[in-house]
Every structure is written in C-alpha cells, then in structure tokens.
Amino acid sequence: MNECISVFDMLKIGVGPSSSHTLGPWRGAERFLKELREEGIFDSVNRVKVDLYGSLSLTGKGHATDLAVMLGLSGADPEYVPIDSISSIIDTISVSYQLNLGGERTIPFFINTDIVFNKNFLPFHANGFMFTAYTEDGQEYESTFYSIGGGFVVKEERTNAKENAIIKCAFPFPIDKADELLAYTRTENKSISEIVYENEKSIRTEEEIHHELMRVWNTMLECMYTGCHTGGILPGGLNVRRRAFDMHQNLIGELPYNSPQEWLQVIRKTEVKFRQILKWVSCFALAVNEVNAALGRVVTAPTNGSSGVIPAVLMYYMVIENHDADESHIKQFLMVAGEVGSIFKKGATISAAMGGCQAEIGVSSAMAAAALCEVMGGTPEQCLMAAEIAMEHHLGMTCDPIGGLVQIPCIERNTMGAIKAINAAELALETDPKNAKVPLDKVVNTMWQTAQDMNNKYKETSEGGLAVTVNNADC
C-alpha cells in the first residue's frame, strides 16, 4: 500500500458526533466545492443535491450527516467554526430554504428533497455519498465520495494515490506494518516516538510539529474540561443524561481553579485510590464523548466515536501516574498513538461501518496502550505488545448504536477502552517480549478478517444488536 499517514491525519480536530458520518461528509462537501471551482462552474450553480448511501443513510440522522453536508456546502470549516454558530447556520437554511454555497453565493436548498437517504449500499464502501450540482444552463456535475473512517475521504479512482506515494517517499522511515516500525527502532536505536518524529520532520518544521501537537492536546484538555462542567440531557431523543458532570463534582470536591490548566494541577492533589483512579479515567472519557454527542469540538482519535480513550489515558498519565509530566511527554504520547493507529488503518480499517466497534474503540485502546507504555519507560517491543493486548481483547466488538446516535453504548465503551489500555500497558511492562506469542501484525490481520466475516447488521447500521433489542421507548 503506497500510503503516507501523518500523526495529524490520525489525530484530527473536528466536530462530533462521528468522524465517518459527520466529519467525513463535511470534508467531502468541501472537496466538492473545490471541484466545482476547478471545473469553472461554481458561479453558475443554482442547485445542489446530496445522496447518502448505505450506513450513511441508515444512521445519518443520528450522526448528523445531513447537518454536516449542509455545513460543508456552506463553507464552514469543522476545525475552526465556532460551535455556537452551527445551530444558527442550520436554522437559517431550514427557515429560508436557502444555502450560502461556499459562503459566497445564495442558492435555493430544500432539506427534505435536496438530501436523499438511500438505503442501498454502493459497492466500493459502506459510507458512500454523491453530490450533484445543477447549473443555470442545464449542466449536471456529479461527484461521489466515500468516508472510510477517521475523517478520511476518498474517491473510488483514488486520485490522491500518486500524491500519497510521493509523500511517503519523503519519509526516511516508511512504515506499513508493526514489524517494519520495530526494525527501524532496532537499526536506528531509537524509540517509536523518535522514529515518528523523524518522519514528521520530513514534511513539517519542528516548530510546526510542536505547535500542532500541543494544539491537539489543548483541544483534548478543553474538551474534557467542558464535559466535566456541563450537565443536562444530550440531544437526539434518547434523553441520555450526562454523567461526567456529577461524577466530576463528587471527585473534585471544593478545590478552586479557573482554567483547564489549573484544573489539571488541582486533580493532582485529589485522593488516589484504585476506585478513584477508575472513576477519574472513566470521567475523562465520558466527558469527551458527551461533548462529542452534543456536536462539540473533539479530536478524532482515531474516530469521533472513540475520541475519549486517548485523552483519558493521557490525562491519567498526567494527573495520576506522573505529576512531573510535561509537554515532551504529551508529544511523545501522541506520536506513538498516531503511528499505531496508522498501522491499523493501513492493515485493516478504522471505520465501524466496515469493521464494527473493534475498528474504533479497539484501535483507540491499542493506540493509547502503546503510547502509555512508552512514556512509562517501555521498550518498542513492549509498546507494540501493549497495542496487541488491547486490540486482542476488543476483537469482534460490534457497532450497534441505539437510534443511530453515538451515545448508547458508544459513550460508555470509551471508558472501557481506556481502562483496558492502561491494563494492557501494565501487562506489557511486566512481560519479556521474547515470551510474546502474538505479534501485533497478526492481530491487525485477524481484526480485518473478523471485520470481513462480521454480519453487516453489526457494522454501524443500527440493524442489529442493542440497536434492535433496545428501542427508544426503553430509553
């Protein structure tokens, strides 16, 4: 596979609730606008229609896919758009029956007819969507995209493949498999994060790498902070009550603070017993995914549905395991996590529509386990063992969101993925890698085979599992 994946491809800043169903279609709409400009027809477009297929259609309402394509067509950037402005953009389109195409031209847009939910699947991928632009002189321009997980969007002809191959050649240490990564660490006598850093330096300056990694972390921290300080009921109709707020209140007590940074320092002063540690880690994960479920800003890691695992485990390291942890540890953690995630993306999938929840929570848990293992002093062999342990015990996990919402069981699953990651790292640190029986690459292969064998009703379609046995009335 000629594919180059940066840490910042795996850790994207965006808007919830889903990387494949929200962020991907949003980015696809942006690419469609770019195509219209390149074709020289943007200024003559007087109507746009959106067709959603397969998984995007079956759970699109619950994942805000319809809202995402409207926001993308309106020219809003998911990384920077003010969260408070999202509802006003959508409300304006709904009330006025008009869309500000690319933020430049107003065209008629009728949500009920110009966004079409087609339950049939396109053959290339479960998450297909097509834009059709109609021009004043009667032309039609169609473009079909596929959201393949983690906010990645491709076209069937893979027009970016050549560009990706060229970028990969710029990497001094091109990596597709875990064994290749391990070989580099041995021949270069470097840690995993050091190998990743050398690759990143081939396409970015050291200052850019530092700035972007810290921006990723600060977004994670602010997300946890927001989730821990916001109560109430999540949108969507299931009437799910936020739990991070109450849990946080019970854990933090009366200690004063005025910012996310001060908050982090205050948590370091709280009681540390096993039960409290479990509660804090769960609280961090719940907070992130409650923000995600409310269309808040999160870091896709590697997906939105699994965005709580890595922040929770990194926060655990910062406030419980190592009170002296600083920016160097944060960057180290994120680089290892990103690289492990890319190995799963290249060798299997990070899309629940293709592989079930093992592709999201399982991968995020593996990413976090490897990263935690390195910052706690683990060797590269132990780090990859930690990733293997974490994924091994998520194999076969289905994706069955009730009502198509990224809430039940998705939010709780992030807490379990985080706890498993910590446990996997500890097991790896206490194990001689020479005694390991299961290489990470074999687990990646097994995960992909399991994904192919899994019934489609357990792949983010809400046609099986909890999505069927538990209905809205039960909630």
Side-chain angles (χ1 to χ4, degrees):
M1 178 184 292
N2 291 321
E3 188 174 10
C4 165
I5 299 178
S6 163
V7 170
F8 303 108
D9 292 323
M10 299 305 303
L11 305 175
K12 300 186 185 77
I13 298 173
V15 174
S18 171
S19 53
S20 59
H21 287 59
T22 314
L23 183 58
W26 193 328
R27 291 300 190 193
E30 291 179 325
R31 284 179 57 178
F32 179 63
L33 292 179
K34 182 180 178 182
E35 289 183 8
L36 293 180
R37 292 187 174 96
E38 291 173 345
E39 293 291 325
I41 59 175
F42 177 83
D43 291 333
S44 62
V45 171
N46 60 9
R47 183 193 168 204
V48 172
K49 182 169 74 98
V50 186
D51 283 276
L52 306 176
Y53 294 93
S55 181
L56 289 183
S57 172
L58 292 168
T59 64
K61 288 285 187 179
H63 288 97
T65 307
D66 49 347
L67 308 187
V69 293
M70 286 188 282
L71 290 163
L73 290 172
S74 299
D77 187 328
E79 195 166 340
Y80 297 102
V81 62
I83 297 300
D84 294 341
S85 73
I86 289 178
S87 59
S88 64
I89 295 172
I90 298 301
D91 289 345
T92 299
I93 298 172
S94 302
V95 173
S96 69
Y97 304 108
Q98 292 182 324
L99 184 147
N100 192 12
L101 190 67
E104 298 177 25
R105 299 181 59 247
T106 299
I107 63 171
F109 193 86
F110 301 89
I111 296 175
N112 290 335
T113 56
D114 288 334
I115 300 179
V116 182
F117 293 83
N118 304 278
K119 291 187 177 181
N120 57 301
F121 286 71
L122 298 182
F124 183 71
H125 192 279
N127 291 334
F129 55 109
M130 182 177 71
F131 296 97
T132 304
Y134 302 87
T135 64
E136 296 166 352
D137 59 359
Q139 293 185 65
E140 292 185 16
Y141 177 81
E142 293 182 351
S143 190
T144 302
F145 299 88
Y146 299 88
S147 180
I148 61 173
F152 289 87
V153 178
V154 300
K155 306 195 77 169
E156 187 167 357
E157 61 268 29
R158 294 186 177 273
T159 54
N160 293 324
K162 183 177 180 181
E163 180 182 350
N164 285 338
I166 293 171
I167 295 175
K168 180 173 180 179
C169 292
F171 273 18
F173 305 111
I175 299 161
D176 282 341
K177 297 183 177 181
D179 281 350
E180 295 170 347
L181 171 59
L182 195 57
Y184 288 134
T185 64
R186 289 168 176 167
T187 58
E188 301 297 320
N189 194 27
K190 293 181 182 293
S191 65
I192 292 175
S193 61
E194 288 172 333
I195 293 293
V196 176
Y197 191 49
E198 291 302 315
N199 280 343
E200 292 295 333
K201 285 195 297 183
S202 71
I203 54 176
R204 293 178 178 85
T205 66
E206 293 185 17
E207 292 75 15
E208 288 173 331
I209 296 169
H210 171 82
H211 178 267
E212 289 304 303
L213 285 173
M214 293 313 301
R215 191 163 71 95
V216 165
W217 163 243
N218 286 325
T219 301
M220 289 178 172
L221 179 60
E222 289 169 11
C223 185
M224 286 184 281
Y225 186 84
T226 298
C228 285
H229 295 83
T230 306
I233 303 297
L234 292 173
L238 294 181
N239 296 316
V240 174
R241 179 178 174 81
R242 291 177 181 257
R243 283 184 283 179
F245 179 83
D246 293 329
M247 186 179 289
H248 175 260
Q249 286 292 101
N250 291 332
L251 288 166
I252 200 71
E254 299 298 325
L255 296 172
Y257 53 89
N258 295 300
S259 69
Q261 289 72 27
E262 289 182 12
W263 177 61
L264 188 153
Q265 296 297 335
V266 164
I267 296 173
R268 287 174 168 171
K269 300 176 183 178
T270 60
E271 183 180 34
V272 180
K273 292 182 178 179
F274 183 68
R275 287 186 65 194
Q276 276 68 33
I277 293 172
L278 287 177
K279 290 177 182 179
W280 271 120
V281 174
S282 297
C283 182
F284 299 144
L286 287 174
V288 171
N289 287 89
E290 287 172 354
V291 169
N292 179 64
L295 277 75
R297 178 159 285 118
V298 299
V299 176
T300 298
T303 67
N304 283 34
S306 61
S307 58
V309 175
I310 288 173
V313 176
L314 179 48
M315 190 68 162
Y316 157 80
Y317 178 73
M318 298 282 290
V319 301
I320 294 173
E321 185 61 35
N322 182 8
H323 287 190
D324 295 322
D326 55 24
E327 291 183 350
S328 66
H329 297 93
I330 294 169
K331 294 189 291 184
Q332 186 181 359
F333 188 103
L334 294 176
M335 284 190 287
V336 174
E339 186 60 46
V340 169
S342 75
I343 290 171
F344 277 97
K345 183 183 182 302
K346 294 168 188 172
T349 181
I350 57 171
S351 167
M354 291 296 287
C357 199
Q358 60 173 356
E360 298 202 15
I361 294 295
V363 172
S364 64
S365 187
M367 293 166 68
L372 180 63
C373 189
E374 178 168 308
V375 295
M376 291 177 67
T379 65
E381 291 84 357
Q382 288 174 319
C383 294
L384 297 184
M385 183 191 300
E388 174 272 313
I389 294 171
M391 173 51 78
E392 184 179 334
H393 301 290
H394 282 93
L395 288 173
M397 180 176 281
T398 59
C399 179
D400 47 359
I402 297 173
L405 297 166
V406 192
Q407 296 182 17
I408 304 172
C410 319
I411 296 174
E412 281 184 358
R413 281 187 179 169
N414 280 263
T415 71
M416 306 307 290
I419 296 298
K420 282 186 180 181
I422 295 170
N423 196 24
E426 292 292 351
L427 285 171
L429 287 167
E430 294 298 322
T431 303
D432 185 341
K434 294 178 181 177
N435 297 324
K437 303 297 183 183
V438 184
L440 178 56
D441 285 327
K442 292 292 180 66
V443 169
V444 174
N445 293 340
T446 302
M447 180 257 206
W448 179 231
Q449 185 61 58
T450 304
Q452 293 174 303
D453 292 341
M454 188 180 289
N455 190 300
N456 279 337
K457 68 183 181 180
Y458 298 116
K459 295 181 180 180
E460 206 170 7
T461 59
S462 289
E463 294 181 320
L466 289 173
V468 173
T469 58
V470 181
N471 57 42
N472 288 10
D474 294 317
C475 298

